Amino acid sequence: VEDPENGLVLTSGRAVYDKISETVILEGNPTLNFKDKQNKLTKISSPDLKRYLSENKTEFAKGVIIQNSDFTILSDTATFYEKEQRLE
């Protein structure tokens, strides 16, 4: 799934979309790729990824790996706020 408005590319083996709650759950090695303001590619992967479309945020759980050319971070959980390109 490509989201040019937010500069995101999501990949996975399977996606489950819930129209009522406006969420997408990705399964099968889900990965989110985005380019920051300096045009540097960051990749976030996790076995458990849930995207909240109306809130422009993506939550990761269970073994999160965040990588770019400067660092690799391992975490239990992470939340990515798309509009601000902020990661918690």
Side-chain angles (χ1 to χ4, degrees), residues 10 15 18 22 26 36 40 46 51 60 81 84:
L10 292 160
D18 184 331
E22 294 188 46
L26 300 177
D36 64 16
K40 185 180 294 186
S46 164
R51 184 165 185 223
F60 305 85
Y81 298 91
E84 302 89 11

Side-chain angles (χ1 to χ4, degrees), residues 1-12 26 29-37 39-46 49 51 58 60 64-69 80-82 85 87:
V1 175
E2 190 171 346
D3 180 354
E5 181 180 324
N6 292 308
L8 305 175
V9 176
L10 292 160
T11 59
S12 72
L26 300 177
N29 197 27
T31 302
L32 180 145
N33 295 292
F34 73 95
K35 288 189 177 182
D36 64 16
K37 293 170 185 154
N39 210 29
K40 185 180 294 186
L41 180 66
T42 299
K43 175 181 171 181
I44 308 169
S45 58
S46 164
L49 186 156
R51 184 165 185 223
T58 303
F60 305 85
V64 181
I65 302 170
I66 305 163
Q67 298 175 301
N68 72 18
S69 60
F80 179 67
Y81 298 91
E82 297 156 13
Q85 289 193 339
L87 191 59

